[in-house]
Amino acid sequence: MNMRSNHVRFTPDDTFMLLIDHQEGTLDFVRNVPRAGVVLNARALARVAKVLDMPVVLTSSQEDQMQGPLIEDLREILPEQYEKRVRRSGVANAWDDPEFRAAALGAAGERRNVILAGVTNDVCTVAPAISMTEAGFTVKVVQDAGGSPHRTAEEVAVRAWERVGALTTTAASLIAELAVDWSTERGGRLAQVTSEEVLAHLGTF
């Protein structure tokens, strides 16, 4: 079993990001938390990647079926990555898809820390989080940039990825970790993301 420290600090220089299946149709499967919150937190992560010039890979599954296209928010924030997204034919565990794995490894380079968020934590997130941890990456799952059909599914997924050593965080906590110091230029830009995508919507859903 590959157990890892719960105190791994990520930095922009040693980290890349994977956003998995934030699609219009698949969002309908999220029922344990508000859909709007998942979208806002996915937006926040995309903006963080842009601010920090962090490598990021987007992927979707079966866009021509009920899952639908990736949300327009990702096209708006990360247009180049959106156009280069890995459109999987149906492989459930994204890491098992050769094209996605190649794109992820290309984005990683020498980086071994990965920020991972999938739209449904019980399907889109849990399997690649486990696979990538077992492959030697330190994985931080941004839990609130996804959700599950019900509370039990969410709890089982979190236990499963934490059991192998993947770490759990939230969008706001991750942004603070990457900012380090809000008074710096980088910290100020990340504070704006937090303000606009997280704090501005507290209590609205």
Side-chain angles (χ1 to χ4, degrees), residues 135-146:
F137 291 93
T138 300
V139 178
K140 281 192 177 177
V141 176
V142 185
Q143 184 179 354
D144 58 357

Side-chain angles (χ1 to χ4, degrees), residues 142-195:
V142 185
Q143 184 179 354
D144 58 357
S148 296
H150 48 79
R151 185 173 65 182
T152 299
E154 184 82 2
E155 292 172 352
V156 169
V158 175
R159 287 200 302 269
W161 71 58
E162 289 185 342
R163 190 177 299 121
V164 299
L167 310 173
T168 306
T169 190
T170 65
S173 293
L174 179 73
I175 295 170
E177 177 181 347
L178 294 170
V180 181
D181 183 346
W182 299 117
S183 69
T184 63
E185 187 273 339
R186 181 177 81 195
R189 295 175 70 192
L190 292 178
Q192 183 177 3
V193 174
T194 302
S195 176

Side-chain angles (χ1 to χ4, degrees), residues 20-31 35 38 59-63 65-71 88 118-124 147-149:
I20 300 175
D21 299 351
H22 288 86
Q23 296 167 246
E24 293 289 348
T26 314
L27 272 165
D28 292 337
F29 303 146
V30 174
R31 299 296 176 90
R35 172 187 175 121
V38 172
T59 186
S60 61
S61 178
Q62 297 182 308
E63 289 188 18
Q65 298 190 34
M66 63 184 298
Q67 291 91 329
L70 284 181
I71 56 175
R88 307 190 320 282
V119 72
T120 57
N121 288 326
D122 64 323
V123 176
C124 304
S148 296

Side-chain angles (χ1 to χ4, degrees), residues 57-58 79-87 99 103:
V57 175
L58 309 180
E80 182 178 346
Q81 292 88 342
Y82 185 97
E83 292 305 318
K84 293 180 179 179
R85 67 193 183 279
V86 177
R87 287 179 267 197
E99 185 180 352

